[in-house]
Every structure is written in C-alpha cells, then in structure tokens.
Amino acid sequence: MQTQQYKDYMRSEEWEAKKQERIAIDGGCVMCGRPIERIKKINVHHVTYARLGNENVLTDLCTLCGSCHKKIHAYYNRRRA
C-alpha cells in the first residue's frame, strides 16, 4: 500500500471500526496492562502489515498505550539498524 493510500486508510471508517473492535477485545494495553480508562493516547498497533486493509482483528492488531507503542517501535527500529 502506498503512503497516501495508507494515510487515507488510517482515516477511514473501516479502520476506525477495526480499531474499536480491537480496543474492546483487549480492554487496555497488552504490554503494560494499563486499563483503557487510564490511557491518554490509545494506539492500535499492527503486529503485521501483511494484510493491511484486510486485517484479521484477532491476530494482526493489538492495543497499546502511547508509551508502550513508542517502546515497540523503538525496539523494531533498533533491530532494523
């Protein structure tokens, strides 16, 4: 998926529905365990981009707080370097 297509998808109602479904499943951050009501910035993270646009909500996504989302991306960026 191209950059603009990705941005458009991330603003779509389809993505918002998947996001809300995953948040309801997890109920909070899957890394640190912080409950939804105590998270300022809720992020739904793609575990894989292999099915971007056609994600399996149960296996391709997870809910993270802002802090844990930054940590996971920092980890992947270090591994790629």
Side-chain angles (χ1 to χ4, degrees):
M1 191 176 275
Q2 300 295 335
T3 304
Q4 188 57 48
Q5 286 176 308
Y6 173 79
K7 288 178 183 178
D8 291 343
Y9 174 64
M10 297 308 279
R11 291 185 201 112
S12 72
E13 289 180 20
E14 180 185 2
W15 170 244
E16 186 60 34
K18 288 179 186 180
K19 229 172 72 171
Q20 292 307 317
E21 185 178 353
R22 188 66 225 193
I23 290 167
I25 290 166
D26 292 331
C29 181
V30 298
M31 277 183 65
C32 71
R34 188 178 305 165
I36 278 298
E37 8 353 289
R38 292 191 50 227
I39 299 174
K40 288 181 186 175
K41 175 100 170 87
I42 300 166
N43 294 270
V44 174
H45 175 74
H46 282 87
V47 176
T48 177
Y49 287 97
R51 289 173 288 282
L52 187 62
N54 193 29
E55 301 92 347
N56 179 320
V57 173
L58 297 175
T59 60
D60 297 339
L61 305 171
C62 67
T63 306
L64 298 171
C65 67
S67 177
C68 288
H69 196 225
K70 285 180 186 173
K71 288 175 189 172
I72 200 125
H73 277 281
Y75 170 77
Y76 286 124
N77 289 338
R78 279 193 306 273
R79 287 197 58 194
R80 280 187 224 137

